[in-house]
Amino acid sequence: MSVSTTSPAGADGVRVVTVDHPPVNALPVSGWYELADAVRSAGREPGTRCVVLAAAGRGFNAGVDIKELRRDPGHDALIGANRGCAEAFSAVYACEVPVIAAVHGFCLGGGVGLVGNADAIVASEDAAFGLPELDRGALGAATHLARLVPQHLMRTLYYTSRTVTAAELLSHGSVWRVVPAPELMGAALELANEIAAKDGHLLRLAKAALNGIDPVDVRRSYRFEQGFTFEANLAGTAARVRDTFGKEA
């Protein structure tokens, strides 16, 4: 697991937090906590005025490490994943400065939780967003998908496990820009620089004010969803469905 934080040249006040966990950035329990710590630390730095959340490799994020859950005969891994995801999503939402998600390739499950709590999203043309939770014996992150698409579309995507493209999210107004993959970081940093040009104290006040008027308490709402994930595990339903993940029918 690797989470790095850098300060790009020519981007004063901007910190880039990059996740690199091959092969698909499906994070283990420790990874979610590591990511949460990195985002919080970047936002707390006095000179930071904007954070860019990015990923290396084939896609932005493929959610929770299903293999880690399979290896645990009890519920410790599930509880850890639930809490770790909640911490990472909360860190993005509560970051003291605006967070821009730079999304390429797949953005699934926990990836939607991260970008749904970001302040802005810049995506590459190949980006696809979705919650395949019902296919993986889980529930959750509808809270965050509902911040990206209208209510009925969110429900249809959730029930079917289908994905939505970056271009479609652009049409709904939840993605700021869609660009060719090689231009993704440049576009994200362009927006970050525009935000970081503002007064740092005012940006922190603005972030707190916008979170304060949010109509949905995203942390409480997501933890409510996770209760049903745990219920599905206790009933044995989650394990039965999860055991089919990645196997041919």
Side-chain angles (χ1 to χ4, degrees), residues 7-93:
S7 299
D12 185 42
V14 177
R15 298 286 276 164
V16 178
V17 175
T18 305
V19 176
D20 186 3
H21 187 67
V24 294
N25 288 326
L27 303 186
V29 171
S30 61
W32 292 107
Y33 282 103
E34 187 178 349
L35 176 55
D37 289 342
V39 171
R40 289 193 181 103
S41 295
R44 286 193 190 110
E45 293 179 15
T48 302
R49 295 186 294 282
C50 187
V51 171
V52 175
L53 179 59
R58 293 160 49 190
F60 180 78
N61 188 282
V64 169
D65 184 351
I66 298 294
K67 293 180 181 178
E68 185 178 38
L69 298 181
R70 283 175 171 168
R71 289 193 298 267
D72 183 6
H75 299 297
D76 288 346
L78 174 65
I79 293 171
N82 278 358
R83 291 178 176 174
C85 285
E87 285 299 306
F89 301 169
S90 179
V92 172
Y93 185 77

